[in-house]
Coordinates of all heavy atoms in Angstrom, one line a residue:
P85 N -14.7 -6.3 -33.0 CA -14.2 -7.0 -34.3 C -13.8 -6.0 -35.4 O -12.7 -6.1 -36.0 CB -15.4 -7.8 -34.6 CG -16.1 -8.2 -33.4 CD -16.0 -6.9 -32.7
Y88 N -10.3 -4.4 -34.3 CA -9.2 -5.3 -34.4 C -8.9 -5.8 -35.8 O -7.8 -6.2 -36.2 CB -9.0 -6.3 -33.3 CG -10.2 -7.3 -32.9 CD1 -10.5 -8.3 -33.7 CD2 -10.8 -7.0 -31.7 CE1 -11.4 -9.2 -33.5 CE2 -11.9 -8.0 -31.6 CZ -12.1 -9.0 -32.3 OH -13.2 -9.8 -31.9
E124 N -13.6 -14.5 -26.0 CA -12.9 -14.8 -27.3 C -11.9 -15.9 -27.1 O -11.5 -16.5 -28.1 CB -12.3 -13.5 -28.0 CG -13.3 -12.7 -28.7 CD -13.8 -13.3 -30.0 OE1 -13.1 -14.0 -30.8 OE2 -15.1 -13.1 -30.2
R148 N -10.1 -13.1 -36.7 CA -10.3 -12.7 -35.3 C -9.1 -13.1 -34.5 O -9.0 -12.9 -33.3 CB -11.5 -13.3 -34.8 CG -12.8 -12.9 -35.5 CD -14.0 -13.7 -34.9 NE -14.6 -13.1 -33.7 CZ -15.6 -12.5 -33.6 NH1 -16.5 -12.2 -34.7 NH2 -16.2 -12.0 -32.4
N180 N -19.8 -10.4 -23.6 CA -20.3 -9.2 -24.3 C -20.9 -8.2 -23.2 O -21.8 -8.6 -22.4 CB -21.4 -9.5 -25.3 CG -20.8 -10.3 -26.4 OD1 -20.4 -11.4 -26.3 ND2 -20.9 -9.6 -27.6
G191 N -19.0 -0.7 -34.3 CA -19.3 -1.9 -35.2 C -19.9 -3.0 -34.3 O -20.4 -4.0 -34.9
R192 N -19.9 -2.8 -33.0 CA -20.4 -3.9 -32.2 C -21.9 -3.9 -32.2 O -22.6 -2.8 -32.6 CB -20.0 -3.9 -30.8 CG -18.6 -4.5 -30.6 CD -18.0 -4.5 -29.3 NE -17.6 -3.3 -28.8 CZ -16.8 -3.2 -27.8 NH1 -16.4 -4.3 -27.1 NH2 -16.4 -2.0 -27.5
V193 N -22.6 -5.0 -32.0 CA -24.0 -5.2 -32.3 C -24.9 -4.2 -31.5 O -25.9 -3.6 -32.0 CB -24.4 -6.6 -32.2 CG1 -24.4 -7.1 -30.8 CG2 -25.7 -6.9 -32.9
V194 N -24.5 -3.9 -30.2 CA -25.3 -3.0 -29.4 C -25.4 -1.6 -30.0 O -26.4 -1.2 -30.4 CB -25.0 -3.1 -27.9 CG1 -25.8 -2.1 -27.1 CG2 -25.1 -4.5 -27.5
A196 N -24.5 -0.6 -32.9 CA -25.0 -0.6 -34.4 C -26.4 -0.7 -34.4 O -27.1 0.2 -35.1 CB -24.3 -1.9 -35.0
F197 N -27.0 -1.6 -33.7 CA -28.5 -1.6 -33.8 C -29.2 -0.5 -33.2 O -30.2 0.1 -33.8 CB -29.0 -3.0 -33.0 CG -28.9 -4.3 -33.9 CD1 -28.2 -4.2 -35.1 CD2 -29.3 -5.5 -33.3 CE1 -28.0 -5.5 -35.7 CE2 -29.1 -6.6 -34.0 CZ -28.4 -6.7 -35.3
Q200 N -28.8 2.4 -35.7 CA -29.6 2.2 -36.8 C -31.2 2.5 -36.5 O -31.9 3.1 -37.2 CB -29.5 0.8 -37.4 CG -28.1 0.5 -38.1 CD -27.7 -0.9 -38.1 OE1 -28.2 -1.7 -37.4 NE2 -26.6 -1.2 -38.8
T208 N -28.8 -4.2 -39.3 CA -28.0 -5.1 -40.1 C -27.7 -6.5 -39.4 O -26.8 -6.4 -38.6 CB -26.7 -4.4 -40.6 OG1 -26.1 -3.9 -39.4 CG2 -27.0 -3.3 -41.7
I209 N -28.5 -7.4 -39.7 CA -28.2 -8.8 -39.0 C -27.2 -9.5 -39.8 O -27.4 -9.7 -41.1 CB -29.5 -9.6 -38.8 CG1 -30.4 -9.0 -37.8 CG2 -29.2 -11.0 -38.5 CD1 -31.6 -9.8 -37.5
F210 N -26.0 -9.8 -39.3 CA -25.1 -10.7 -40.0 C -25.5 -12.1 -39.9 O -25.7 -12.6 -38.9 CB -23.7 -10.5 -39.4 CG -23.2 -9.0 -39.4 CD1 -22.1 -8.6 -38.7 CD2 -23.8 -8.1 -40.3 CE1 -21.6 -7.3 -38.7 CE2 -23.4 -6.8 -40.4 CZ -22.2 -6.4 -39.5
Q215 N -27.2 -16.9 -34.4 CA -26.2 -16.9 -33.4 C -26.5 -16.2 -32.2 O -27.3 -15.3 -32.2 CB -24.8 -16.2 -34.1 CG -24.8 -14.7 -34.2 CD -25.3 -14.3 -35.6 OE1 -26.3 -14.9 -36.1 NE2 -24.8 -13.2 -36.1
R217 N -25.8 -14.4 -28.2 CA -24.8 -13.7 -27.4 C -25.6 -13.5 -25.9 O -26.8 -13.5 -26.0 CB -24.4 -12.4 -28.0 CG -23.6 -12.4 -29.2 CD -22.1 -12.9 -29.0 NE -21.4 -12.8 -30.2 CZ -21.3 -13.8 -31.0 NH1 -22.0 -14.9 -31.1 NH2 -20.5 -13.7 -32.2
I251 N -29.3 -13.1 -32.0 CA -29.0 -11.8 -32.5 C -30.3 -11.3 -33.2 O -30.6 -10.1 -33.1 CB -27.9 -11.7 -33.6 CG1 -26.5 -12.0 -32.7 CG2 -27.8 -10.5 -34.3 CD1 -26.3 -10.9 -31.7
L273 N -22.4 -13.3 -42.9 CA -21.8 -13.5 -41.5 C -20.3 -13.4 -41.5 O -19.6 -14.0 -42.5 CB -22.2 -14.9 -41.0 CG -21.9 -15.3 -39.6 CD1 -22.7 -14.5 -38.6 CD2 -22.0 -16.8 -39.3
P274 N -19.6 -12.6 -40.7 CA -18.2 -12.4 -40.8 C -17.5 -13.8 -40.5 O -18.1 -14.7 -39.9 CB -17.8 -11.5 -39.6 CG -19.2 -10.8 -39.3 CD -20.2 -11.7 -39.7
D277 N -17.2 -16.0 -37.0 CA -18.1 -15.4 -36.0 C -18.7 -16.5 -35.0 O -19.3 -17.5 -35.5 CB -19.3 -14.7 -36.7 CG -20.1 -13.8 -36.0 OD1 -20.8 -14.1 -35.1 OD2 -19.9 -12.5 -36.2
P278 N -18.4 -16.5 -33.7 CA -18.9 -17.5 -32.9 C -20.5 -17.8 -33.0 O -21.2 -16.9 -33.0 CB -18.5 -17.1 -31.5 CG -17.5 -16.1 -31.7 CD -17.6 -15.5 -33.0
R281 N -22.6 -18.0 -27.5 CA -21.8 -17.6 -26.5 C -22.6 -17.3 -25.2 O -23.6 -16.6 -25.2 CB -21.1 -16.3 -26.8 CG -19.9 -15.9 -25.8 CD -19.4 -14.6 -26.2 NE -18.4 -14.7 -27.2 CZ -18.0 -13.8 -28.0 NH1 -18.6 -12.6 -27.9 NH2 -17.1 -14.0 -29.0
Ligands
UDP401 N1 -23.7 -8.5 -35.6 C1 -24.7 -8.2 -36.5 N2 -24.9 -7.0 -36.9 C2 -24.1 -6.0 -36.6 C3 -23.0 -6.1 -35.8 C4 -22.8 -7.4 -35.3 O1 -25.6 -9.1 -36.7 O2 -24.3 -4.8 -37.3 C5 -23.5 -9.7 -35.0 C6 -22.2 -10.3 -35.1 O3 -22.0 -11.0 -36.4 C7 -22.1 -11.2 -33.9 C8 -22.9 -10.6 -32.9 O4 -23.7 -9.7 -33.7 O5 -22.6 -12.5 -34.3 C9 -22.2 -9.8 -31.9 O6 -21.2 -9.0 -32.6 P1 -20.2 -7.9 -31.8 O7 -19.5 -7.3 -33.0 O8 -21.0 -7.1 -31.0 O9 -19.2 -8.8 -30.8 P2 -18.8 -10.3 -30.7 O10 -19.6 -11.0 -29.7 O11 -19.0 -11.1 -32.1 O12 -17.3 -10.2 -30.3

Side-chain angles (χ1 to χ4, degrees):
Y88 50 75
E124 282 284 322
R148 297 175 86 105
N180 293 69
R192 280 186 280 200
V193 72
V194 174
F197 284 2
Q200 289 158 346
T208 52
I209 290 185
F210 299 164
Q215 70 272 34
R217 293 294 186 272
I251 292 302
L273 190 67
D277 197 285
R281 186 182 287 154

